[in-house]
Amino acid sequence: MTANIDDTAFILAAGFGKRLRPYTENKPKPIVEVGGIPMIDQALDKLAEAGIEKCVVNTHYKAEVLQDHLKQRANQPQAIISHEPEILDTGGGIAKGLSHFAAPFFVVSGDSVWEDAAHKPALQQMKDVWDAHKMDILLLLQPVETMTLTHGVGDYDLDTQGHATRSKDQNGAYMWTSIRINSPKIFKHAPEGPFSYLELLDEAQQQGRLYGIVHDGLWHHISTPEDLEAVNGHKARSEERRVGKECRSRWAPYH
């Protein structure tokens, strides 16, 4: 693993997933299946491929269901539960688990679903770009124009040096995937209790230490039942094409 990236990551999994109901009435959003695989498992497997050995996972809504699911996983990374009796929002939840991190670390949402480009996985690209001397946060950004299955919002723009600037009217060129590398030091003056990670993003931007890279694969913003059904349909069609291609290739020598 790159020397200045921690081998432990953080997965945000405490939210209520209200917009995805009825799928989240009896389970937390991260274990809703996309393409037949729970979303959090897809994120964990990609983190493992990037060399991550442990993940701190925060829990609140349907916490026992998520904890039982994680106990059944046989693969790395090892899950470390950070339970929140009071939900701590996107910033406070990470701050609560900060003792697990000695170096800059990945943060991923438990409902992140992305498809890597063929040449190099997105997390490896981020590790290659990360520069602690000039960055406090590095974001993985998805071009809004590529988001044809789910609704894209223009959260950020990038300049030619890779600095990310938040588009307050949400008309930027890129949507933030929620995937990031951040330095532990950004939490130094964080308040106790619940707070939004957006505060830390804006502070890093003001200091010229917020950067982004463009994801050259696909990322799906699964917020509503319609989003989920669209992505599941896409994955089913992709699998049908793959199987059909294999069958044609297998029979080709006999024709």
PDB file of all heavy atoms in Angstrom, residues 47-75:
ATOM      1  N   LEU A  47     -12.599  -1.811  -1.896  1.00  0.00           N
ATOM      2  CA  LEU A  47     -11.594  -1.340  -0.937  1.00  0.00           C
ATOM      3  C   LEU A  47     -10.542  -2.412  -0.681  1.00  0.00           C
ATOM      4  O   LEU A  47      -9.355  -2.115  -0.579  1.00  0.00           O
ATOM      5  CB  LEU A  47     -12.278  -0.931   0.375  1.00  0.00           C
ATOM      6  CG  LEU A  47     -13.050   0.390   0.323  1.00  0.00           C
ATOM      7  CD1 LEU A  47     -14.000   0.506   1.505  1.00  0.00           C
ATOM      8  CD2 LEU A  47     -12.093   1.584   0.289  1.00  0.00           C
ATOM      9  N   ALA A  48     -10.963  -3.662  -0.589  1.00  0.00           N
ATOM     10  CA  ALA A  48     -10.012  -4.759  -0.397  1.00  0.00           C
ATOM     11  C   ALA A  48      -9.041  -4.840  -1.572  1.00  0.00           C
ATOM     12  O   ALA A  48      -7.837  -5.040  -1.385  1.00  0.00           O
ATOM     13  CB  ALA A  48     -10.753  -6.081  -0.228  1.00  0.00           C
ATOM     14  N   GLU A  49      -9.553  -4.677  -2.785  1.00  0.00           N
ATOM     15  CA  GLU A  49      -8.698  -4.704  -3.969  1.00  0.00           C
ATOM     16  C   GLU A  49      -7.663  -3.578  -3.940  1.00  0.00           C
ATOM     17  O   GLU A  49      -6.575  -3.721  -4.502  1.00  0.00           O
ATOM     18  CB  GLU A  49      -9.559  -4.584  -5.226  1.00  0.00           C
ATOM     19  CG  GLU A  49     -10.417  -5.802  -5.512  1.00  0.00           C
ATOM     20  CD  GLU A  49     -11.412  -5.562  -6.635  1.00  0.00           C
ATOM     21  OE1 GLU A  49     -11.371  -4.463  -7.245  1.00  0.00           O
ATOM     22  OE2 GLU A  49     -12.224  -6.458  -6.914  1.00  0.00           O
ATOM     23  N   ALA A  50      -8.010  -2.478  -3.273  1.00  0.00           N
ATOM     24  CA  ALA A  50      -7.094  -1.341  -3.167  1.00  0.00           C
ATOM     25  C   ALA A  50      -6.119  -1.494  -2.005  1.00  0.00           C
ATOM     26  O   ALA A  50      -5.352  -0.582  -1.721  1.00  0.00           O
ATOM     27  CB  ALA A  50      -7.895  -0.047  -3.005  1.00  0.00           C
ATOM     28  N   GLY A  51      -6.150  -2.626  -1.308  1.00  0.00           N
ATOM     29  CA  GLY A  51      -5.205  -2.875  -0.232  1.00  0.00           C
ATOM     30  C   GLY A  51      -5.687  -2.505   1.150  1.00  0.00           C
ATOM     31  O   GLY A  51      -4.913  -2.521   2.112  1.00  0.00           O
ATOM     32  N   ILE A  52      -6.979  -2.190   1.286  1.00  0.00           N
ATOM     33  CA  ILE A  52      -7.535  -1.830   2.591  1.00  0.00           C
ATOM     34  C   ILE A  52      -7.787  -3.103   3.397  1.00  0.00           C
ATOM     35  O   ILE A  52      -8.442  -4.034   2.921  1.00  0.00           O
ATOM     36  CB  ILE A  52      -8.826  -1.027   2.434  1.00  0.00           C
ATOM     37  CG1 ILE A  52      -8.570   0.258   1.637  1.00  0.00           C
ATOM     38  CG2 ILE A  52      -9.433  -0.711   3.791  1.00  0.00           C
ATOM     39  CD1 ILE A  52      -7.545   1.183   2.258  1.00  0.00           C
ATOM     40  N   GLU A  53      -7.280  -3.146   4.619  1.00  0.00           N
ATOM     41  CA  GLU A  53      -7.391  -4.345   5.456  1.00  0.00           C
ATOM     42  C   GLU A  53      -8.523  -4.272   6.476  1.00  0.00           C
ATOM     43  O   GLU A  53      -9.052  -5.298   6.888  1.00  0.00           O
ATOM     44  CB  GLU A  53      -6.058  -4.573   6.184  1.00  0.00           C
ATOM     45  CG  GLU A  53      -4.893  -4.831   5.229  1.00  0.00           C
ATOM     46  CD  GLU A  53      -3.581  -5.008   5.959  1.00  0.00           C
ATOM     47  OE1 GLU A  53      -3.580  -4.933   7.216  1.00  0.00           O
ATOM     48  OE2 GLU A  53      -2.561  -5.210   5.289  1.00  0.00           O
ATOM     49  N   LYS A  54      -8.898  -3.054   6.886  1.00  0.00           N
ATOM     50  CA  LYS A  54      -9.960  -2.881   7.877  1.00  0.00           C
ATOM     51  C   LYS A  54     -10.835  -1.703   7.474  1.00  0.00           C
ATOM     52  O   LYS A  54     -10.361  -0.749   6.843  1.00  0.00           O
ATOM     53  CB  LYS A  54      -9.360  -2.626   9.271  1.00  0.00           C
ATOM     54  CG  LYS A  54      -8.594  -3.804   9.844  1.00  0.00           C
ATOM     55  CD  LYS A  54      -8.019  -3.494  11.224  1.00  0.00           C
ATOM     56  CE  LYS A  54      -6.837  -2.545  11.104  1.00  0.00           C
ATOM     57  NZ  LYS A  54      -6.170  -2.333  12.416  1.00  0.00           N
ATOM     58  N   CYS A  55     -12.103  -1.759   7.860  1.00  0.00           N
ATOM     59  CA  CYS A  55     -13.024  -0.649   7.623  1.00  0.00           C
ATOM     60  C   CYS A  55     -13.807  -0.358   8.893  1.00  0.00           C
ATOM     61  O   CYS A  55     -14.381  -1.274   9.491  1.00  0.00           O
ATOM     62  CB  CYS A  55     -14.000  -0.983   6.503  1.00  0.00           C
ATOM     63  SG  CYS A  55     -13.332  -0.799   4.845  1.00  0.00           S
ATOM     64  N   VAL A  56     -13.806   0.881   9.295  1.00  0.00           N
ATOM     65  CA  VAL A  56     -14.699   1.332  10.363  1.00  0.00           C
ATOM     66  C   VAL A  56     -16.041   1.639   9.716  1.00  0.00           C
ATOM     67  O   VAL A  56     -16.118   2.413   8.752  1.00  0.00           O
ATOM     68  CB  VAL A  56     -14.139   2.581  11.062  1.00  0.00           C
ATOM     69  CG1 VAL A  56     -15.109   3.053  12.154  1.00  0.00           C
ATOM     70  CG2 VAL A  56     -12.769   2.294  11.658  1.00  0.00           C
ATOM     71  N   VAL A  57     -17.110   1.003  10.193  1.00  0.00           N
ATOM     72  CA  VAL A  57     -18.445   1.166   9.625  1.00  0.00           C
ATOM     73  C   VAL A  57     -19.350   1.760  10.693  1.00  0.00           C
ATOM     74  O   VAL A  57     -19.543   1.152  11.756  1.00  0.00           O
ATOM     75  CB  VAL A  57     -19.014  -0.187   9.153  1.00  0.00           C
ATOM     76  CG1 VAL A  57     -20.397   0.011   8.523  1.00  0.00           C
ATOM     77  CG2 VAL A  57     -18.069  -0.858   8.165  1.00  0.00           C
ATOM     78  N   ASN A  58     -19.889   2.951  10.440  1.00  0.00           N
ATOM     79  CA  ASN A  58     -20.789   3.514  11.446  1.00  0.00           C
ATOM     80  C   ASN A  58     -22.207   3.008  11.218  1.00  0.00           C
ATOM     81  O   ASN A  58     -22.632   2.731  10.093  1.00  0.00           O
ATOM     82  CB  ASN A  58     -20.721   5.043  11.489  1.00  0.00           C
ATOM     83  CG  ASN A  58     -21.330   5.726  10.283  1.00  0.00           C
ATOM     84  OD1 ASN A  58     -21.411   5.160   9.200  1.00  0.00           O
ATOM     85  ND2 ASN A  58     -21.735   6.981  10.461  1.00  0.00           N
ATOM     86  N   THR A  59     -22.930   2.814  12.302  1.00  0.00           N
ATOM     87  CA  THR A  59     -24.278   2.248  12.245  1.00  0.00           C
ATOM     88  C   THR A  59     -25.226   3.062  13.115  1.00  0.00           C
ATOM     89  O   THR A  59     -24.829   3.663  14.112  1.00  0.00           O
ATOM     90  CB  THR A  59     -24.307   0.779  12.722  1.00  0.00           C
ATOM     91  OG1 THR A  59     -23.887   0.725  14.100  1.00  0.00           O
ATOM     92  CG2 THR A  59     -23.390  -0.097  11.887  1.00  0.00           C
ATOM     93  N   HIS A  60     -26.484   3.073  12.710  1.00  0.00           N
ATOM     94  CA  HIS A  60     -27.548   3.666  13.536  1.00  0.00           C
ATOM     95  C   HIS A  60     -28.875   3.018  13.160  1.00  0.00           C
ATOM     96  O   HIS A  60     -29.385   2.194  13.917  1.00  0.00           O
ATOM     97  CB  HIS A  60     -27.628   5.181  13.331  1.00  0.00           C
ATOM     98  CG  HIS A  60     -28.748   5.819  14.110  1.00  0.00           C
ATOM     99  ND1 HIS A  60     -28.669   6.039  15.463  1.00  0.00           N
ATOM    100  CD2 HIS A  60     -29.975   6.253  13.722  1.00  0.00           C
ATOM    101  CE1 HIS A  60     -29.805   6.596  15.890  1.00  0.00           C
ATOM    102  NE2 HIS A  60     -30.617   6.726  14.845  1.00  0.00           N
ATOM    103  N   TYR A  61     -29.422   3.329  11.983  1.00  0.00           N
ATOM    104  CA  TYR A  61     -30.697   2.764  11.549  1.00  0.00           C
ATOM    105  C   TYR A  61     -30.543   1.267  11.240  1.00  0.00           C
ATOM    106  O   TYR A  61     -29.655   0.872  10.494  1.00  0.00           O
ATOM    107  CB  TYR A  61     -31.196   3.514  10.312  1.00  0.00           C
ATOM    108  CG  TYR A  61     -32.467   2.947   9.723  1.00  0.00           C
ATOM    109  CD1 TYR A  61     -33.671   3.040  10.415  1.00  0.00           C
ATOM    110  CD2 TYR A  61     -32.457   2.318   8.484  1.00  0.00           C
ATOM    111  CE1 TYR A  61     -34.843   2.519   9.884  1.00  0.00           C
ATOM    112  CE2 TYR A  61     -33.625   1.803   7.944  1.00  0.00           C
ATOM    113  CZ  TYR A  61     -34.810   1.902   8.645  1.00  0.00           C
ATOM    114  OH  TYR A  61     -35.965   1.378   8.119  1.00  0.00           O
ATOM    115  N   LYS A  62     -31.405   0.447  11.843  1.00  0.00           N
ATOM    116  CA  LYS A  62     -31.359  -1.006  11.656  1.00  0.00           C
ATOM    117  C   LYS A  62     -29.943  -1.541  11.874  1.00  0.00           C
ATOM    118  O   LYS A  62     -29.441  -2.390  11.134  1.00  0.00           O
ATOM    119  CB  LYS A  62     -31.863  -1.397  10.263  1.00  0.00           C
ATOM    120  CG  LYS A  62     -33.273  -0.926   9.946  1.00  0.00           C
ATOM    121  CD  LYS A  62     -34.311  -1.633  10.801  1.00  0.00           C
ATOM    122  CE  LYS A  62     -35.721  -1.206  10.439  1.00  0.00           C
ATOM    123  NZ  LYS A  62     -36.760  -1.815  11.307  1.00  0.00           N
ATOM    124  N   ALA A  63     -29.305  -1.040  12.914  1.00  0.00           N
ATOM    125  CA  ALA A  63     -27.889  -1.355  13.152  1.00  0.00           C
ATOM    126  C   ALA A  63     -27.645  -2.841  13.301  1.00  0.00           C
ATOM    127  O   ALA A  63     -26.661  -3.380  12.772  1.00  0.00           O
ATOM    128  CB  ALA A  63     -27.402  -0.614  14.399  1.00  0.00           C
ATOM    129  N   GLU A  64     -28.535  -3.544  13.996  1.00  0.00           N
ATOM    130  CA  GLU A  64     -28.316  -4.965  14.239  1.00  0.00           C
ATOM    131  C   GLU A  64     -28.376  -5.764  12.933  1.00  0.00           C
ATOM    132  O   GLU A  64     -27.662  -6.760  12.777  1.00  0.00           O
ATOM    133  CB  GLU A  64     -29.334  -5.499  15.254  1.00  0.00           C
ATOM    134  CG  GLU A  64     -30.775  -5.547  14.790  1.00  0.00           C
ATOM    135  CD  GLU A  64     -31.469  -4.198  14.691  1.00  0.00           C
ATOM    136  OE1 GLU A  64     -30.908  -3.196  15.195  1.00  0.00           O
ATOM    137  OE2 GLU A  64     -32.581  -4.158  14.121  1.00  0.00           O
ATOM    138  N   VAL A  65     -29.199  -5.327  11.990  1.00  0.00           N
ATOM    139  CA  VAL A  65     -29.303  -6.017  10.703  1.00  0.00           C
ATOM    140  C   VAL A  65     -27.990  -5.882   9.936  1.00  0.00           C
ATOM    141  O   VAL A  65     -27.466  -6.854   9.377  1.00  0.00           O
ATOM    142  CB  VAL A  65     -30.479  -5.460   9.877  1.00  0.00           C
ATOM    143  CG1 VAL A  65     -30.562  -6.164   8.522  1.00  0.00           C
ATOM    144  CG2 VAL A  65     -31.788  -5.608  10.635  1.00  0.00           C
ATOM    145  N   LEU A  66     -27.439  -4.680   9.927  1.00  0.00           N
ATOM    146  CA  LEU A  66     -26.170  -4.449   9.229  1.00  0.00           C
ATOM    147  C   LEU A  66     -25.026  -5.178   9.920  1.00  0.00           C
ATOM    148  O   LEU A  66     -24.177  -5.793   9.260  1.00  0.00           O
ATOM    149  CB  LEU A  66     -25.879  -2.949   9.160  1.00  0.00           C
ATOM    150  CG  LEU A  66     -24.587  -2.538   8.440  1.00  0.00           C
ATOM    151  CD1 LEU A  66     -24.543  -3.106   7.025  1.00  0.00           C
ATOM    152  CD2 LEU A  66     -24.455  -1.024   8.412  1.00  0.00           C
ATOM    153  N   GLN A  67     -25.002  -5.150  11.238  1.00  0.00           N
ATOM    154  CA  GLN A  67     -23.938  -5.837  11.968  1.00  0.00           C
ATOM    155  C   GLN A  67     -23.972  -7.334  11.707  1.00  0.00           C
ATOM    156  O   GLN A  67     -22.925  -7.963  11.497  1.00  0.00           O
ATOM    157  CB  GLN A  67     -24.064  -5.542  13.459  1.00  0.00           C
ATOM    158  CG  GLN A  67     -23.740  -4.107  13.834  1.00  0.00           C
ATOM    159  CD  GLN A  67     -24.008  -3.791  15.292  1.00  0.00           C
ATOM    160  OE1 GLN A  67     -23.937  -4.667  16.144  1.00  0.00           O
ATOM    161  NE2 GLN A  67     -24.328  -2.549  15.590  1.00  0.00           N
ATOM    162  N   ASP A  68     -25.152  -7.930  11.696  1.00  0.00           N
ATOM    163  CA  ASP A  68     -25.264  -9.365  11.410  1.00  0.00           C
ATOM    164  C   ASP A  68     -24.781  -9.675   9.998  1.00  0.00           C
ATOM    165  O   ASP A  68     -24.108 -10.694   9.770  1.00  0.00           O
ATOM    166  CB  ASP A  68     -26.715  -9.826  11.574  1.00  0.00           C
ATOM    167  CG  ASP A  68     -27.156  -9.872  13.028  1.00  0.00           C
ATOM    168  OD1 ASP A  68     -26.281  -9.833  13.919  1.00  0.00           O
ATOM    169  OD2 ASP A  68     -28.376  -9.935  13.265  1.00  0.00           O
ATOM    170  N   HIS A  69     -25.115  -8.803   9.067  1.00  0.00           N
ATOM    171  CA  HIS A  69     -24.665  -9.008   7.687  1.00  0.00           C
ATOM    172  C   HIS A  69     -23.139  -8.968   7.600  1.00  0.00           C
ATOM    173  O   HIS A  69     -22.522  -9.831   6.957  1.00  0.00           O
ATOM    174  CB  HIS A  69     -25.265  -7.943   6.771  1.00  0.00           C
ATOM    175  CG  HIS A  69     -24.763  -8.003   5.367  1.00  0.00           C
ATOM    176  ND1 HIS A  69     -25.234  -8.904   4.443  1.00  0.00           N
ATOM    177  CD2 HIS A  69     -23.787  -7.297   4.737  1.00  0.00           C
ATOM    178  CE1 HIS A  69     -24.590  -8.748   3.299  1.00  0.00           C
ATOM    179  NE2 HIS A  69     -23.713  -7.774   3.453  1.00  0.00           N
ATOM    180  N   LEU A  70     -22.528  -8.009   8.248  1.00  0.00           N
ATOM    181  CA  LEU A  70     -21.072  -7.873   8.180  1.00  0.00           C
ATOM    182  C   LEU A  70     -20.364  -9.052   8.857  1.00  0.00           C
ATOM    183  O   LEU A  70     -19.290  -9.464   8.412  1.00  0.00           O
ATOM    184  CB  LEU A  70     -20.642  -6.547   8.812  1.00  0.00           C
ATOM    185  CG  LEU A  70     -21.077  -5.289   8.052  1.00  0.00           C
ATOM    186  CD1 LEU A  70     -20.770  -4.037   8.868  1.00  0.00           C
ATOM    187  CD2 LEU A  70     -20.393  -5.204   6.690  1.00  0.00           C
ATOM    188  N   LYS A  71     -20.963  -9.603   9.902  1.00  0.00           N
ATOM    189  CA  LYS A  71     -20.366 -10.761  10.576  1.00  0.00           C
ATOM    190  C   LYS A  71     -20.295 -11.983   9.662  1.00  0.00           C
ATOM    191  O   LYS A  71     -19.432 -12.848   9.823  1.00  0.00           O
ATOM    192  CB  LYS A  71     -21.174 -11.114  11.828  1.00  0.00           C
ATOM    193  CG  LYS A  71     -20.997 -10.147  12.988  1.00  0.00           C
ATOM    194  CD  LYS A  71     -21.888 -10.549  14.152  1.00  0.00           C
ATOM    195  CE  LYS A  71     -21.780  -9.554  15.293  1.00  0.00           C
ATOM    196  NZ  LYS A  71     -22.711  -9.896  16.416  1.00  0.00           N
ATOM    197  N   GLN A  72     -21.192 -12.048   8.702  1.00  0.00           N
ATOM    198  CA  GLN A  72     -21.242 -13.196   7.810  1.00  0.00           C
ATOM    199  C   GLN A  72     -20.255 -13.090   6.647  1.00  0.00           C
ATOM    200  O   GLN A  72     -20.057 -14.064   5.929  1.00  0.00           O
ATOM    201  CB  GLN A  72     -22.664 -13.348   7.254  1.00  0.00           C
ATOM    202  CG  GLN A  72     -23.699 -13.684   8.321  1.00  0.00           C
ATOM    203  CD  GLN A  72     -25.114 -13.643   7.786  1.00  0.00           C
ATOM    204  OE1 GLN A  72     -25.354 -13.777   6.599  1.00  0.00           O
ATOM    205  NE2 GLN A  72     -26.070 -13.451   8.687  1.00  0.00           N
ATOM    206  N   ARG A  73     -19.651 -11.932   6.468  1.00  0.00           N
ATOM    207  CA  ARG A  73     -18.668 -11.785   5.396  1.00  0.00           C
ATOM    208  C   ARG A  73     -17.392 -12.551   5.736  1.00  0.00           C
ATOM    209  O   ARG A  73     -16.846 -12.412   6.830  1.00  0.00           O
ATOM    210  CB  ARG A  73     -18.306 -10.305   5.201  1.00  0.00           C
ATOM    211  CG  ARG A  73     -19.214  -9.557   4.244  1.00  0.00           C
ATOM    212  CD  ARG A  73     -18.725  -8.144   4.051  1.00  0.00           C
ATOM    213  NE  ARG A  73     -17.368  -8.076   3.529  1.00  0.00           N
ATOM    214  CZ  ARG A  73     -17.053  -8.026   2.230  1.00  0.00           C
ATOM    215  NH1 ARG A  73     -18.011  -8.049   1.317  1.00  0.00           N
ATOM    216  NH2 ARG A  73     -15.798  -7.942   1.845  1.00  0.00           N
ATOM    217  N   ALA A  74     -16.923 -13.329   4.779  1.00  0.00           N
ATOM    218  CA  ALA A  74     -15.693 -14.097   4.987  1.00  0.00           C
ATOM    219  C   ALA A  74     -14.473 -13.361   4.457  1.00  0.00           C
ATOM    220  O   ALA A  74     -13.339 -13.680   4.822  1.00  0.00           O
ATOM    221  CB  ALA A  74     -15.804 -15.461   4.298  1.00  0.00           C
ATOM    222  N   ASN A  75     -14.698 -12.366   3.611  1.00  0.00           N
ATOM    223  CA  ASN A  75     -13.586 -11.682   2.943  1.00  0.00           C
ATOM    224  C   ASN A  75     -13.146 -10.454   3.718  1.00  0.00           C
ATOM    225  O   ASN A  75     -13.882  -9.907   4.533  1.00  0.00           O
ATOM    226  CB  ASN A  75     -14.010 -11.259   1.532  1.00  0.00           C
ATOM    227  CG  ASN A  75     -14.452 -12.432   0.683  1.00  0.00           C
ATOM    228  OD1 ASN A  75     -13.984 -13.547   0.877  1.00  0.00           O
ATOM    229  ND2 ASN A  75     -15.356 -12.189  -0.250  1.00  0.00           N
TER     230      ASN A  75
END
